Each structure stands twice: as structure tokens, then as C-alpha cells.
Amino acid sequence: MTKPQLTADQQFSRWVRRVCILFCLLFVYYLIADLKMPVTPQAMVERPVIQVSPQVSGNVTRVDVVNNQKVKAGELLFSIDARPYQLALDKAKLALRQAKLTNDELDASIQSARAEIKSTAAVLHQRQRDAQRIAKLYRQHAVSSSREDQAISEEQTAKASYDMAVAKLQGLTVQRGIKGPNNLLLQQAHNQLESAKLNLSYTEVKASQAGVVSNMQLQTGTMADSGKPLLAIVADKIDVVADFREKNLRHVIAGSKALVAFDSHPGVLYDATVEGIDAGVSSGQFSANGVLATPSTSNRWVRDAQRLRVHLKVKDMPELASGARATVQLLPSSMLLSAVAKAQIWAISALHFIY
């Protein structure tokens, strides 16, 4: 018995039902996958970029690295003309010697001032005795009043000379300061010397971290300004970051398992673990600028979901450039769903053979 042949309308209806059923199945799969085994293509490799800036200004006299060269921490990158800073160092050394000579001169002046005090003190005592003797003779009418006035004037002059000598000694003592390495003049000279040595050492610019020199544009003869970056080093430390929607991270904690597929390694999956989730994003950062709030407005019926950044540690991490793209799959605890999630990200990774 032959089956009745379907009309064109019946065949169309059958295909419509099949498409609707397939759509419903895919929609259910999407809901389950989005809730239980989230995946995101918004992931990339990040490596810290160190901007190398000289701490002193001058002409670049030598460049010791080339583009894409691997460098170690402490390796020389380039040099700045050291002649002005060598002269500054020599000047600081002379200033230290001058400070020592100045202290020696002050020590000699202090000794002289002490001797002067003894001399003026002796003169003062003599004038005081003379004044007393003349006053006694004046009371006995043995000398004139002008002689008594002269003796008093000589005593006052001797007293003023003694006071000046004492004040001079005090001034020299203050100017000399304490002896030893804590002397103010020596400390100032030592600080200038150390500053000159430091500036001279800054003429050799070295790598603060190990990494790779990138986008090298520096040439000999370039005028280097203090604090202005001249080249960049991409550090060896690698961090994989992925942006997930908020609802995908409800059950994700540090240590949760994941799989990572890099665009540069299609079909290859790498085991990873979640290191942490950022505490916030830039859209949630506000500053106290004295301006009233600006409520966000949107004409869309459904707003865009907020994404949060997740940091992952990849096992057997390949050597990749900073900015390399990736896809990250969070693995559920269920073995069945975990197997489906692995198949899902492998299929996505395999597509990178095509695009």
C-alpha cells in the first residue's frame, strides 16, 4: 500500500513544524547553556606594559637594545650624555672639601675667640680694679673728678670689648655647629654629593623588569626629557581576562574550573582556574566633582547586560602577545554538563580554523 503523496501546502507545513521544533530546542539549549555553562568570546591575554622614562634629561648617546629583544631586569637599555652630571659630581666633591675647610677655619676662629675672651677679661679686671682705686682716691680728694670719669669710661669700654668677644664666640660656635658626621655643613655637602652620584647613575637607564622591548622608536641623538617615556617593555607576566555578564557569575568563585581557547591555537583547549573577579567596572566609578548626578537614559526596551571582568590562571600557558584574543568556557560541577561545555567550546575553537 503506497503512502498518499503530500501536497505542497502539507510539505510546507511539515517543514515549518520542524523548524519551529528545532528553534525551540535551540532556545532551550541556549537558556540552559547560558545559565549552567556560560561562555564568552570577550577574553584576551594581558601583559603589563612598563613605560621606560629617564629620571634625568639629556641627549641619548647610546641605545643598547633593538625592537622585540628580550631583556632581563637590570639590563642596560640606553645611555644619556653623562658629562654634565659628571661635572656636577666633581663640583659636589669640591663642595664637600670646602665644607671641611670651612669647619677647620671656624675651629681656628673659635680658638682665637676664646683667647680674645681671656685677653679682654684680663683687661676688664684691670680696669675694674683701677676704677675702684680711683674712686677711693676721689673720695679722699686725692684726684680730680675728670680722672674718676676717665677710669669709669675705661672700665665700660673694657666691659663692652669683653661682651663683644663673648658674643663673637657664641656666633662662631653656632655657625660651626656640632662636630662629627652630623654637622650641618657636612650633611648638606654629603647630600649634594649623593644626589650628584644618583643623577650620574640615572644616565644609564636599565630595565626594571624582565620582558620584551616593543614598538622601539628610540634613536641615538634623541633629546630625553625627565619623566617622558621613550620605550616600552612588555613584561613576562601573563594574565588572561574574560568579561562575563553578571548573571553568569552567580556561582563562580576563586578556584572554579574553566577552559580557554585562543584564537591563535584553534582546536586546542587549555585548562584554567578562576583567580578572582574584579570588584567593579569603570561605569560604576564616580568622583566628587561638585556636579549633580546625570541619570542614565535609554530608549531601548531591553538594556545591555553589565559585564564583569574575571581573571584566570591558565595551565601550560603558551607564549602569546599582549592583546591576543581568546574564548573562555566556565565549567559546571555536573559531569554531564561539563562534557557538553567542553564540546561547546571545542566547536567554537574549531571555527577559528575558518576565521
Side-chain angles (χ1 to χ4, degrees):
M1 184 177 179
T2 60
K3 294 182 179 179
Q5 189 174 5
L6 298 176
T7 64
D9 290 341
Q10 290 174 330
Q11 291 179 358
F12 179 75
S13 298
R14 176 180 291 182
W15 279 108
V16 170
R17 287 195 298 271
R18 289 175 179 175
V19 171
C20 290
I21 292 172
L22 179 60
F23 175 79
C24 291
L25 292 175
L26 290 176
F27 183 70
V28 172
Y29 174 80
Y30 171 80
L31 292 177
I32 296 175
D34 191 49
L35 292 173
K36 298 296 184 180
M37 42 185 183
V39 62
T40 180
Q42 305 298 325
M44 70 169 57
V45 174
E46 285 189 351
R47 298 171 67 175
V49 178
I50 300 103
Q51 292 184 322
V52 180
S53 305
Q55 294 181 269
V56 293
S57 300
N59 286 320
V60 176
T61 57
R62 190 178 66 189
V63 179
D64 295 87
V65 293
V66 295
N67 197 33
N68 294 323
Q69 177 180 332
K70 290 187 68 68
V71 295
K72 299 178 181 178
E75 186 172 343
L76 182 63
L77 301 176
F78 60 90
S79 300
I80 294 174
D81 188 3
R83 290 174 296 177
Y85 301 99
Q86 182 62 55
L87 290 174
L89 177 60
D90 295 340
K91 184 178 179 180
K93 290 180 179 179
L94 292 175
L96 178 59
R97 291 175 58 186
Q98 182 61 49
K100 293 179 179 178
L101 290 175
T102 301
N103 281 340
D104 292 341
E105 291 177 357
L106 289 173
D107 288 338
S109 298
I110 289 173
Q111 293 297 328
S112 176
R114 288 173 177 168
E116 186 178 354
I117 288 177
K118 292 180 179 179
S119 175
T120 54
V123 173
L124 174 60
H125 294 156
Q126 180 62 39
R127 293 291 182 268
Q128 288 175 340
R129 289 194 296 270
D130 290 345
Q132 292 174 358
R133 186 170 61 254
I134 294 298
K136 184 177 180 181
L137 292 174
Y138 176 75
R139 288 193 296 271
Q140 296 174 355
H141 304 286
V143 297
S144 64
S145 61
S146 60
R147 182 69 184 91
E148 182 186 26
D149 294 339
Q150 181 182 356
I152 295 173
S153 177
E154 290 175 350
E155 179 187 5
Q156 291 176 343
T157 302
K159 180 66 169 58
S161 298
Y162 174 79
D163 292 340
M164 287 179 60
V166 171
K168 181 179 178 181
L169 176 61
Q170 291 177 344
L172 290 171
T173 304
V174 171
Q175 188 176 357
R176 175 61 174 85
I178 60 176
K179 293 187 177 182
N182 293 328
N183 177 261
L184 181 60
L185 285 177
L186 292 180
Q187 282 186 329
Q188 291 175 341
H190 277 296
N191 288 343
Q192 292 176 358
L193 179 61
E194 293 302 319
S195 178
K197 288 181 179 179
L198 195 61
N199 287 335
L200 181 61
S201 68
Y202 286 156
T203 58
E204 292 188 343
V205 181
K206 300 178 181 180
S208 60
Q209 294 186 27
V212 179
V213 178
S214 183
N215 195 27
M216 176 74 175
Q217 303 292 331
L218 183 62
Q219 299 292 331
T220 301
T222 301
M223 181 61 189
D225 293 327
S226 176
K228 182 179 179 180
L230 292 180
L231 58 83
I233 296 178
V234 181
D236 291 336
K237 183 180 182 298
I238 297 179
D239 186 21
V240 177
V241 296
D243 298 333
F244 283 92
R245 287 178 292 176
E246 291 177 282
K247 68 173 184 176
N248 297 145
L249 302 176
R250 290 178 300 171
H251 306 296
V252 177
I253 59 175
S256 296
K257 295 182 179 180
L259 289 173
V260 179
F262 297 104
D263 291 8
S264 57
H265 295 69
V268 181
L269 303 181
Y270 293 88
D271 294 324
T273 55
V274 174
E275 285 190 324
I277 303 173
D278 280 355
V281 294
S282 60
S283 59
Q285 181 177 353
F286 300 96
S287 59
N289 54 13
V291 180
L292 297 181
T294 305
S296 57
T297 58
S298 175
N299 296 325
R300 301 181 60 178
W301 180 48
V302 179
R303 70 175 185 272
D304 293 333
Q306 179 63 59
R307 291 181 178 268
L308 298 178
R309 179 150 294 183
V310 178
H311 295 261
L312 301 109
K313 183 178 182 181
V314 179
K315 185 179 179 182
D316 301 326
M317 179 72 190
E319 189 72 19
L320 296 174
S322 181
R325 305 295 298 185
T327 302
V328 176
Q329 170 74 68
L330 297 177
L331 296 179
S333 56
S334 169
M335 294 183 62
L336 176 61
L337 293 178
S338 181
V340 176
K342 290 180 181 179
Q344 176 177 261
I345 191 174
W346 183 88
I348 295 174
S349 176
L351 290 176
H352 292 315
F353 282 110
I354 304 173
Y355 72 95

